[in-house]
Amino acid sequence: MTKRYKITIAYDGTNFAGFQSQPHQRTVQSVLERAVNKMSKKDEFIPIFGSGRTDSGVHALGQVVHFDFPHEMSADSMLKALNSMLPLDCVVVDCEIVPDDFHARFTTHGKRYMYRVSQSYFVDPFKRNYTGHYKYPVNLEKIKAALPDVIGTHDFTSFCASGSNVKSHVRTIYDATVRRDEVQNELIFEFAGSGFLYNQVRIMVATLLEIGRGKRPVHDFLRLYEVKDRNEARETAPASGLYLKEVYYD
Amino acid sequence: MTKRYKITIAYDGTNFAGFQSQPHQRTVQSVLERAVNKMSKKDEFIPIFGSGRTDSGVHALGQVVHFDFPHEMSADSMLKALNSMLPLDCVVVDCEIVPDDFHARFTTHGKRYMYRVSQSYFVDPFKRNYTGHYKYPVNLEKIKAALPDVIGTHDFTSFCASGSNVKSHVRTIYDATVRRDEVQNELIFEFAGSGFLYNQVRIMVATLLEIGRGKRPVHDFLRLYEVKDRNEARETAPASGLYLKEVYYD
């Protein structure tokens, strides 16, 4: 009777120590596991598998997790039951019962991230946890001219935070866009790709902002792919502006 | 050389125990006084006067305060100096030097409040601190039909939270509007008036939502003015949706 549930969740990352469970920390995984296991029997523990981690302060609009639930429950009932138990900074937006070979992490073939940059001179108190902040004027055309360099398969070593120990730094970006939201006075970046290295989006955004400000040449990404040196990209945009928007499956 | 400074501030009320200083509490007044007094001499204390209180969790887009500063400083320098010292959930948006007879509280002749109501079925994690939440469908035309009853001079006893000890419950509302923001799935109320009783806007919004849902007759405000009974209005919309938008002076 055990069935696999795929749930799509949104969360405000401000008060979470990231996605992944850690001792003595409030994480998204731990609040989800607590909610799911309130509906299980005492001698069973139902683990939650996420599509991947998000850092402390990073948000999600469409993070995906799965778990195996051994009691009969419709997808709609599961959605409502979880939302009645989850804290208000994490909500289930979709729930479906999926085949047993679905795996939130191992069957994904890509992700989409959004990054919001507030351009106000002083930090807007209502955006301090929900955007990055860059008060300097940027030339949007320069950033748009740089974005084709981001798309494609590249060695992103210069854009990978130290401390990461993945084997390969080669990733493929399918889509990279930027637009200006005049009403909100924000720049909105989006990146879709096969996978992303640790802090890759935040380092790419910081580099693109420097290109827009004229502190780097427009095609500096091409040089950074060559030098494979994290110190050359330097800045990392803050976690507060980053949103995991979508996780792709077949 | 002492000059009076009028400053307009915006704050995210989530992490403040309201506007007014209280022992052992983090309030807007206390963070402002701390910032201003960092620029004063040791033996002087410069008090801050606000246009009025806001409750814990209530936000401001245009709260006004004044203080007397005994050292030479331009309005623009004051604005930048304060913003360099204030925490990120409170920002000075405007600063001007005003005549000595200006008083943030005693020379105001009105205020404007905004109230945001999220209509999503489940609470949106990104709006939990920034809107009220009302998942029930409401008939906007009914609310619009009730709003003319709000405008004018009325005895708002039914809309005043117990614990208030003002002499008169008569207030004048100049303007009362509602609109639906389809993109955000929100109802946005605005009220401008000569002054407001404790919790008046939040009780009025809760009553208007019940009118929109069909749980009260459209013209129930007229009855509530007559009965002068707080228990008849019952509900109070949460602090999280309320914004002090503007304070009016001549």
Side-chain angles (χ1 to χ4, degrees), chain B residues 20-102:
Chain B
Q20 185 168 273
S21 289
Q22 297 175 64
H24 316 301
Q25 299 279 345
R26 181 177 188 266
T27 69
V28 178
Q29 190 174 22
S30 66
V31 302
L32 283 171
E33 284 183 337
R34 198 172 309 133
V36 169
N37 283 283
K38 272 187 187 163
M39 300 182 291
S40 67
K41 295 198 174 133
K42 275 185 184 165
D43 57 345
E44 66 191 9
F45 175 76
I46 301 168
I48 300 286
F49 299 90
S51 75
R53 307 175 188 185
T54 55
D55 275 351
S56 179
V58 173
H59 313 291
L61 303 173
Q63 168 71 294
V64 173
V65 310
H66 84 261
F67 57 89
D68 294 329
F69 193 73
H71 310 288
E72 185 70 32
M73 192 180 292
S74 73
D76 190 53
S77 297
M78 179 64 78
L79 183 149
K80 286 178 177 160
L82 288 175
N83 279 340
S84 73
M85 292 183 290
L86 284 168
L88 291 182
D89 49 354
C90 181
V91 68
V92 177
V93 293
D94 191 53
C95 177
E96 50 183 314
I97 294 169
V98 289
D100 286 353
D101 60 356
F102 174 89

Side-chain angles (χ1 to χ4, degrees), chain B residues 14 63-64 82-83 92 104 112 118 127 154-156 163 175 211 221 235:
Chain B
T14 308
Q63 168 71 294
V64 173
L82 288 175
N83 279 340
V92 177
R112 175 175 289 271
S118 170
K127 293 186 176 179
H154 304 286
D155 185 321
F156 286 98
D175 187 34
I211 288 171
F221 271 75
E235 304 291 334

Side-chain angles (χ1 to χ4, degrees), chain A residues 54-244:
Chain A
T54 55
D55 275 351
S56 180
V58 173
H59 313 291
L61 303 173
Q63 168 71 294
V64 173
V65 311
H66 84 261
F67 57 88
D68 294 327
F69 194 72
H71 310 288
E72 186 69 32
M73 192 180 290
S74 72
D76 190 55
S77 297
M78 179 63 78
L79 183 150
K80 286 177 177 158
L82 289 175
N83 279 340
S84 73
M85 292 184 290
L86 284 168
L88 291 182
D89 49 356
C90 181
V91 68
V92 177
V93 293
D94 191 52
C95 177
E96 49 184 314
I97 294 169
V98 289
D100 285 355
D101 60 355
F102 174 89
H103 192 289
R105 181 164 168 212
F106 297 124
T107 65
T108 171
H109 57 76
K111 287 180 181 172
R112 175 175 288 272
Y113 283 95
M114 175 172 77
Y115 196 96
R116 290 173 56 188
V117 179
S118 170
Q119 288 250 268
S120 59
Y121 186 79
F122 296 112
V123 173
D124 179 330
F126 297 99
K127 293 185 177 180
R128 69 196 193 287
N129 295 325
Y130 304 107
T131 61
H133 182 243
Y134 202 71
K135 68 180 173 186
Y136 309 105
V138 297
N139 181 332
L140 200 64
E141 296 313 310
K142 285 188 177 178
I143 297 178
K144 283 182 177 170
L147 287 175
D149 298 345
V150 176
I151 295 168
T153 302
H154 303 287
D155 185 321
F156 287 97
T157 300
S158 293
F159 301 93
C160 178
S162 57
S164 164
N165 57 0
V166 290
K167 284 177 206 152
S168 165
H169 291 143
V170 175
R171 294 291 184 275
T172 301
I173 306 285
Y174 307 127
D175 187 35
T177 61
V178 67
R179 65 183 175 87
R180 196 189 295 274
D181 182 327
E182 299 283 356
V183 176
Q184 292 291 326
N185 194 17
E186 288 180 20
L187 301 178
I188 317 281
F189 292 88
E190 292 207 15
F191 302 92
S194 61
F196 292 88
L197 299 166
Y198 188 50
N199 278 2
Q200 181 180 344
V201 174
R202 292 165 56 187
I203 299 169
M204 291 200 305
V205 166
T207 304
L208 287 164
L209 290 171
E210 291 191 326
I211 288 171
R213 195 183 166 191
K215 291 184 74 180
R216 289 177 183 271
V218 167
H219 295 293
D220 208 34
F221 270 75
L222 304 181
R223 184 183 67 84
L224 290 163
Y225 295 144
E226 289 299 319
V227 296
K228 298 181 180 57
D229 181 355
R230 168 71 185 93
N231 296 314
E232 285 286 325
R234 288 200 306 271
E235 304 290 334
T236 305
S240 51
L242 187 60
Y243 296 73
L244 174 55

Side-chain angles (χ1 to χ4, degrees), chain B residues 145-211:
Chain B
L147 287 175
D149 298 345
V150 176
I151 295 169
T153 302
H154 304 286
D155 185 321
F156 286 98
T157 301
S158 293
F159 301 93
C160 178
S162 57
S164 165
N165 56 1
V166 292
K167 283 176 206 152
S168 166
H169 291 143
V170 175
R171 294 291 184 276
T172 300
I173 306 285
Y174 306 126
D175 187 34
T177 61
V178 67
R179 66 184 174 86
R180 195 188 294 275
D181 182 328
E182 298 283 355
V183 175
Q184 292 291 325
N185 194 17
E186 288 180 19
L187 301 178
I188 317 282
F189 291 88
E190 292 206 15
F191 302 93
S194 61
F196 292 87
L197 300 167
Y198 188 51
N199 278 1
Q200 182 181 342
V201 174
R202 293 165 56 186
I203 299 169
M204 291 200 305
V205 166
T207 304
L208 287 164
L209 289 171
E210 291 191 326
I211 288 171

